[in-house]
Amino acid sequence: MKNILALTVLFVSSVASAQTPQFAIGGGLIFNKPDFKTGNTSGAGYSVDEESTTTLNIGARAILPLQEKLSFRTGLYLQEKSGKIELEASGISASVTGKILELAIPLNVQYQLHEKFSAYGGYIADFPLNTYCKAGGVISGCPLNEAGKVTHNLNVGGSFHLAEKFDLELSYQHPMKAVLDDLKIYAWLFQGFYKF
């Protein structure tokens, strides 16, 4: 994985070396939608309740022009993804609330469709920095502590160029694999960026 990241950065920096990169800082909201899959959800009296959450992110964005309207996007973002799951089977209940603080590195391609709008998409690697988990009911341990691996996401989004120095962005992150064996977190991001 590290080799792919290094080769991508090397390629893009060599192609974009003649162009002036654009840097921005910003942050916003993440709307997290957990999706919990378990082997037996069809039995009578069995229910799963997945509660969406809203968290924050901050970070720095870099856009490296490749052609007149085509650019490469990357950056570093500090973000938190979370979710709450409540399970009940035959009158026995359990709940898990989890939060994962991550360092996200996007590798995206952006195309300017209009002077006021650009579309982008690609890949994001989420590196977990810290986890918090609270269990209730019949669950005594917290399996979220096992989430120590990189999470791979596909993403797509749009950037609205509202002013010379300000962009407003909306994007969607689709996890390529579970954070744990049975849990994925889908995320919508709403962010503002100040360009300098």
Side-chain angles (χ1 to χ4, degrees), residues 20-181:
T20 304
Q22 178 193 89
F23 297 100
I25 56 171
L29 300 174
I30 304 175
F31 301 97
N32 302 284
K33 173 68 175 100
D35 183 25
F36 183 74
K37 302 289 187 206
T38 185
N40 181 19
T41 58
S42 59
Y46 187 95
S47 67
V48 178
D49 183 23
E50 302 153 337
E51 185 177 317
S52 299
T53 60
T54 302
T55 54
L56 300 173
N57 82 331
I58 58 171
R61 179 191 77 185
I63 297 179
L64 308 166
L66 300 175
Q67 296 178 359
E68 182 181 353
K69 294 188 176 185
L70 187 67
S71 301
F72 175 76
R73 289 173 55 112
T74 189
L76 290 173
Y77 300 93
L78 188 63
Q79 63 185 24
E80 184 179 77
K81 290 186 179 175
S82 67
K84 183 175 181 181
I85 310 293
E86 293 185 358
L87 305 159
E88 185 170 338
S90 302
I92 299 173
S93 63
S95 66
V96 176
T97 301
K99 299 178 181 179
I100 305 171
L101 182 65
E102 302 171 329
L103 180 67
I105 301 176
L107 302 173
N108 286 228
V109 174
Q110 175 174 295
Y111 188 79
Q112 186 172 349
L113 297 168
H114 185 270
E115 63 179 12
K116 293 291 185 182
F117 178 76
S118 297
Y120 61 90
Y123 166 81
I124 295 179
D126 291 337
F127 297 88
L129 301 175
N130 193 18
T131 60
Y132 166 81
C133 187
K134 180 180 177 183
V138 296
I139 299 177
S140 57
C142 230
L144 192 62
N145 296 328
E146 301 168 12
K149 298 180 180 178
V150 178
T151 304
H152 307 281
N153 304 276
L154 297 176
N155 81 302
V156 63
S159 183
F160 300 88
H161 315 302
L162 301 182
E164 182 183 352
K165 294 286 188 179
F166 187 72
D167 288 345
L168 196 60
E169 297 191 350
L170 178 64
S171 63
Y172 168 71
Q173 293 182 9
H174 185 86
M176 296 169 65
K177 69 174 199 174
V179 175
L180 295 171
D181 291 339

